[in-house]
Amino acid sequence: MTARWRVVMKLAALAALVLCLLMFSVPTVDFVYTGF
Amino acid sequence: MTLSLMSPSLLALAAVTAIVMAALEGPVRKVVFLGANVVFLWGLLLGPQGALSTVLFAALGYALTLAILRRPARAFWLGLSAYVALFVYMRKYDFLHWFVSDSLLTTTLATVGLSFLFFKVVHVMIEARCGTLGDLRLLTYLDYTLNFTTFMMGPIERYQDFSAQLEGRERPVPTTFESHLDALLRMAVGFVKVYLVAPWFAYYLPENADVLTMSWRGLLVNIYGFYFFLYLNFAGYCDVMIGLSALLGLRPPENFDKPFLARNISDFWLRFHRSLTAWLTTYIFSPAYKWALGTRWLGPRPLLAANLAILLTMLVSGLWHGTTVSFLLFGLIHGLYFVVFRTWDALLMRLLGRQRLREWRAWWPIQAAGVLVTFHAVAFSLIFFRLRPEAVLAIFARLVGGS
């Protein structure tokens, strides 16, 4: 895989993840490890 | 606590800090980073009172470390004891009610992130005592202790590594387009874990009252569900923060390495919250084990010495994790897991010898059984994170009674 192709793949993966987050994420999750 | 890692204000702060820091060199870079840290603590996480108490707590650590650097032998134990006492007070441990009247116990000081900050400062104090800290500079120290990328939940990094990266003596992240893309991808993967996958398991957080009436199947699903939720919540946070750090030219240590594949309890702690394990091993287990081996009674009994040292280490770990008796029991149960595992391992070594034991460990059914047992042992121990001791006892009673 060439460097340019690898970057394209990573950009596509990033776009897909951001799209999933925009569509399905639940933004009100508590962080449970900050101190119980 | 509910600060969203995807909030526009946090993402804007991260983006501006990354851009400005990339354009700067030298001490001004540290000033900009300190500004970002204060904005985060004051404006996004703790508010003025919490931020002020946190900065003062960190500043006291700096003053004590300076004293230790000047007079290591005299100042160390005094400084460390005072700092531990202040941490216990600020953290509001449950047992304080036995010794201190309620009117003296404050609820206005910051507690979020305090355990992580405390371990970072104690690390600096111990390294100063040992003469291995290197140069202590106020700006670097404040950036290290208040670092907004690792403040809330780690990873717990070493001062020496952080200062080398912040001051530009080490460049752990190349400044290429692809490395920035990797950092953004890492953040996106973390967001997916925290905000997309973990919420599926958020329905499975057992409550104290529910465990008494829940069906067997429901109980097990809740116990496994909480383990998955905790991992995704914590590991996702670490992914986001490691990616964000990379955008700033920093690289905190990795914190997770497929913990569900751990083959024994020792392997588990080398895969789960690894930076905490490294801290505890360096500053609790190793000195305690070394001390025990130096005593007349434990010196000839290395297995017993190691078991006592690991029990102490895990009790400290339990107390660090939370303020109630449940967390002490969490530490104790992990200590007992270690004792059973190490004793079993020593017994096998005696029975089989080194070569056959190595073959035994490499045999796949043994590895699979190890993964299964470790997974269940950890999942059941994590109920102490969520439930009061009475509720945990009720679960174990149901397990034993089969009802």
Side-chain angles (χ1 to χ4, degrees), chain B residues 81-208:
Chain B
S81 310
Y83 208 65
V84 169
L86 181 61
F87 169 72
V88 168
Y89 178 71
M90 285 179 73
R91 191 84 167 82
K92 297 193 287 285
Y93 275 91
D94 262 13
F95 61 80
L96 279 178
H97 294 280
W98 302 341
F99 310 105
V100 184
S101 85
D102 283 355
S103 58
L104 291 174
L105 294 177
T106 174
T107 53
T108 55
L109 300 175
T111 53
V112 174
L114 198 68
S115 303
F116 290 90
L117 172 59
F118 174 66
F119 264 20
K120 285 204 275 190
V121 175
V122 171
H123 148 73
V124 169
M125 290 165 84
I126 295 174
E127 296 289 319
R129 169 72 181 88
C130 298
T132 48
L133 184 64
D135 290 336
L136 180 68
R137 296 189 179 92
L138 179 59
L139 265 181
T140 309
Y141 170 87
L142 287 175
D143 277 334
Y144 168 70
T145 47
L146 307 177
N147 177 1
F148 78 98
T149 66
T150 56
F151 184 82
M152 278 164 55
M153 302 198 292
I156 304 167
E157 55 204 323
R158 294 175 74 246
Y159 176 82
Q160 296 90 330
D161 297 337
F162 176 83
S163 64
Q165 293 168 13
L166 186 70
E167 291 169 1
R169 283 176 277 124
E170 275 176 25
R171 295 201 183 273
V173 188
T175 48
T176 61
F177 175 74
E178 191 172 355
S179 70
H180 286 87
L181 186 57
D182 288 339
L184 290 173
L185 258 176
R186 183 80 189 259
M187 289 177 73
V189 168
F191 285 138
V192 167
K193 282 182 188 168
V194 175
Y195 295 110
L196 218 147
V197 188
W200 284 89
F201 296 98
Y203 302 107
Y204 301 111
L205 304 181
E207 296 292 341
N208 283 300

Side-chain angles (χ1 to χ4, degrees), chain A residues 3 6-11 13-14 17-18 20-21 24-36, chain B residues 1-3 5-6 91 113 116 153 177-178 181-182 184 191-192 194-196 230 233-234 273 321 327 385:
Chain A
R6 195 173 61 233
V7 168
V8 170
M9 294 293 283
K10 285 180 182 178
L11 279 170
L14 183 61
L17 289 175
V18 170
C20 284
L21 284 165
F24 305 114
S25 66
V26 179
T28 51
V29 176
D30 278 357
F31 285 106
V32 289
Y33 226 94
T34 51
F36 292 90
Chain B
M1 82 135 290
T2 49
L3 172 73
L5 297 184
M6 293 200 297
R91 191 84 167 82
F116 290 90
M153 302 198 292
F177 175 74
E178 191 172 355
L181 186 57
D182 288 339
L184 290 173
F191 285 138
V192 167
V194 175
Y195 295 110
L196 218 147
L230 192 73
N233 189 261
F234 191 14
H273 206 172
H321 274 94
F327 288 94
F385 269 36

Side-chain angles (χ1 to χ4, degrees), chain B residues 300-338:
Chain B
R301 302 174 177 88
L303 179 63
L304 184 60
N307 283 341
L308 288 175
I310 200 72
L311 263 177
L312 174 71
T313 307
M314 286 293 117
L315 283 174
V316 171
S317 170
L319 282 172
W320 178 86
H321 274 94
T323 58
T324 61
V325 176
S326 289
F327 288 94
L328 193 65
L329 294 174
F330 168 78
L332 180 67
I333 205 165
H334 272 265
L336 292 175
Y337 287 165
F338 263 102

Side-chain angles (χ1 to χ4, degrees), chain B residues 319-390:
Chain B
L319 282 172
W320 178 86
H321 274 94
T323 58
T324 61
V325 176
S326 289
F327 288 94
L328 193 65
L329 294 174
F330 168 78
L332 180 67
I333 205 165
H334 272 265
L336 292 175
Y337 287 165
F338 263 102
V339 168
V340 170
F341 165 66
R342 281 173 165 272
T343 308
W344 168 249
D345 211 45
L347 193 70
L348 283 178
M349 175 74 92
R350 196 175 292 173
L351 286 172
L352 302 175
R354 191 174 294 275
Q355 180 57 31
R356 282 184 64 199
L357 179 58
R358 198 173 293 146
E359 289 165 10
W360 162 271
R361 282 184 188 144
W363 193 36
W364 73 263
I366 294 302
Q367 292 190 353
V371 169
L372 203 67
V373 170
T374 307
F375 174 82
H376 283 82
V378 172
F380 276 84
S381 74
L382 288 176
I383 54 182
F384 286 101
F385 269 36
R386 189 73 189 167
L387 302 173
R388 289 197 303 270
E390 310 90 84

Side-chain angles (χ1 to χ4, degrees), chain B residues 165-282:
Chain B
Q165 293 168 13
L166 186 70
E167 291 169 1
R169 283 176 277 124
E170 275 176 25
R171 295 201 183 273
V173 188
T175 48
T176 61
F177 175 74
E178 191 172 355
S179 70
H180 286 87
L181 186 57
D182 288 339
L184 290 173
L185 258 176
R186 183 80 189 259
M187 289 177 73
V189 168
F191 285 138
V192 167
K193 282 182 188 168
V194 175
Y195 295 110
L196 218 147
V197 188
W200 284 89
F201 296 98
Y203 302 107
Y204 301 111
L205 304 181
E207 296 292 341
N208 283 300
D210 297 344
V211 296
L212 302 173
T213 53
M214 217 174 260
S215 70
W216 248 105
R217 193 167 154 269
L219 196 59
L220 283 178
V221 168
N222 274 261
I223 287 170
Y224 299 145
F226 182 56
Y227 186 8
F228 286 122
F229 175 82
L230 192 73
Y231 166 74
L232 290 163
N233 189 261
F234 191 14
Y237 166 87
C238 288
D239 284 333
V240 172
M241 290 311 176
I242 289 171
L244 176 54
S245 297
L247 292 177
L248 304 175
L250 303 169
R251 175 163 286 166
E254 291 293 335
N255 229 9
F256 291 91
D257 179 21
K258 302 181 272 299
F260 299 114
L261 298 180
R263 284 180 249 167
N264 54 59
I265 195 64
S266 177
D267 191 23
F268 170 79
W269 281 107
L270 293 172
R271 292 166 174 270
F272 188 93
H273 206 172
R274 295 161 64 184
S275 61
L276 175 69
T277 307
W279 195 102
L280 290 168
T281 306
T282 309

